[in-house]
Amino acid sequence: DAGVTQSPTHLIKTRGQHVTLRCSPISGHKSVSWYQQVLGQGPQFIFQYYEKEERGRGNFPDRFSARQFPNYSSELNVNALLLGDSALYLCASSLELGTANEKLFFGSGTQLSVL
Amino acid sequence: SQQGEEDPQALSIQEGENATMNCSYKTSINNLQWYRQNSGRGLVHLILIRSNEREKHSGRLRVTLDTSKKSSSLLITASRAADTASYFCATDARDSSYKLIFGSGTRLLVRP
């Protein structure tokens, strides 16, 4: 079975542009989460979606938005890009909602560079 | 903000030696997880320990949890060059967000 897939793997944008990152969860997984990882730090939570509804949002500005589609795939959108948005964006899926007893399955990430 | 802090930030050992990484966190938790990341790519889940558990084993991995000290340790025994990676602890937020809060990671180098 395929794991979590993310596209594109690398992306270069300039300040002010917008970007859309895509994620396909493991088949049968209903929950998708997005994390931002700046070089040298641990991942930071951006969003969680379950059954197409936003179930959690991290401390990120409104320039960040996301959605989940009926097939459980997801998109992360970032508008008005800043240099500080340069990071590895990780998508993770899990079977159900909640982290108390569930592990996350991560994709390989999208490396975004903002120039 | 980061909930957990790993210690040490970097660790270099010889193949065959044991590697111990520590994680401290700030708030009460339901569970604590350890993840591994190779070369800045996706994270791979290693082990999950619940707040009512004190020790857990998985192959060459041993995880301990001390909720009174809000700390956990990950021991990798008989390390191999392939264990070279960054290791992160992650805790649940115990709020409505269902997020995981990751520490800053320990970069492990296993020299052949």
Side-chain angles (χ1 to χ4, degrees):
Chain A
D1 284 342
V4 177
T5 58
Q6 292 186 244
S7 63
T9 56
H10 295 83
L11 203 51
I12 300 175
K13 293 285 189 179
T14 57
R15 282 177 296 176
Q17 288 188 312
H18 71 273
V19 67
T20 298
L21 310 181
R22 295 178 174 82
C23 171
S24 293
I26 291 173
S27 178
H29 283 196
K30 301 176 183 177
S31 177
V32 169
S33 300
W34 288 95
Y35 287 80
Q36 181 197 64
Q37 186 178 23
V38 175
L39 188 64
Q41 297 183 18
Q44 291 215 346
F45 174 78
I46 310 176
F47 287 110
Q48 182 177 30
Y49 277 78
Y50 177 73
E51 292 284 10
K52 295 160 286 183
E53 291 187 6
E54 181 183 304
R55 298 301 186 102
R57 185 185 185 105
N59 188 26
F60 281 82
D62 291 343
R63 299 184 296 107
F64 289 76
S65 64
R67 54 179 176 169
Q68 186 178 33
F69 299 99
N71 67 353
Y72 300 111
S73 67
S74 178
E75 284 183 353
L76 175 69
N77 294 284
V78 186
N79 293 325
L81 285 167
L82 303 174
L83 296 179
D85 295 331
S86 295
L88 180 67
Y89 288 85
L90 295 161
C91 173
S93 75
S94 58
L95 195 59
E96 295 290 342
L97 181 63
T99 60
N101 295 306
E102 283 204 86
K103 62 183 181 181
L104 297 182
F105 295 82
F106 282 85
S108 296
T110 294
Q111 184 66 54
L112 172 65
S113 298
V114 182
L115 306 179
Chain B
S1 62
Q2 307 274 316
Q3 149 93 303
E5 292 295 330
E6 278 91 339
D7 172 54
Q9 291 185 345
L11 181 61
S12 179
I13 60 173
Q14 201 73 33
E15 202 165 31
E17 294 179 337
N18 295 342
T20 299
M21 288 158 268
N22 302 296
C23 166
S24 60
Y25 56 92
K26 298 174 184 175
T27 62
S28 61
I29 60 172
N30 289 314
N31 66 65
L32 185 143
Q33 304 183 42
W34 285 90
Y35 286 82
R36 164 192 167 133
Q37 184 178 39
N38 284 51
S39 302
R41 302 309 290 180
L43 282 79
V44 175
H45 180 269
L46 296 176
I47 199 164
L48 181 153
I49 186 166
R50 294 182 174 79
S51 60
N52 62 353
E53 297 176 313
R54 291 297 168 259
E55 188 171 312
K56 205 162 184 179
H57 296 254
S58 177
R60 294 184 295 112
L61 306 180
R62 172 178 170 254
V63 169
T64 62
L65 180 64
D66 187 336
T67 52
S68 66
K69 295 181 179 179
K70 292 187 171 58
S71 67
S72 174
S73 67
L74 171 67
L75 169 67
I76 304 174
T77 59
S79 63
R80 307 165 182 167
D83 294 328
T84 295
S86 292
Y87 293 82
F88 295 90
C89 67
T91 56
D92 62 298
R94 291 203 82 174
D95 60 16
S96 60
S97 69
Y98 305 102
K99 65 185 177 187
L100 279 182
I101 304 175
F102 285 85
S104 51
T106 292
R107 295 184 304 280
L108 174 65
L109 172 65
V110 182
R111 305 186 305 275

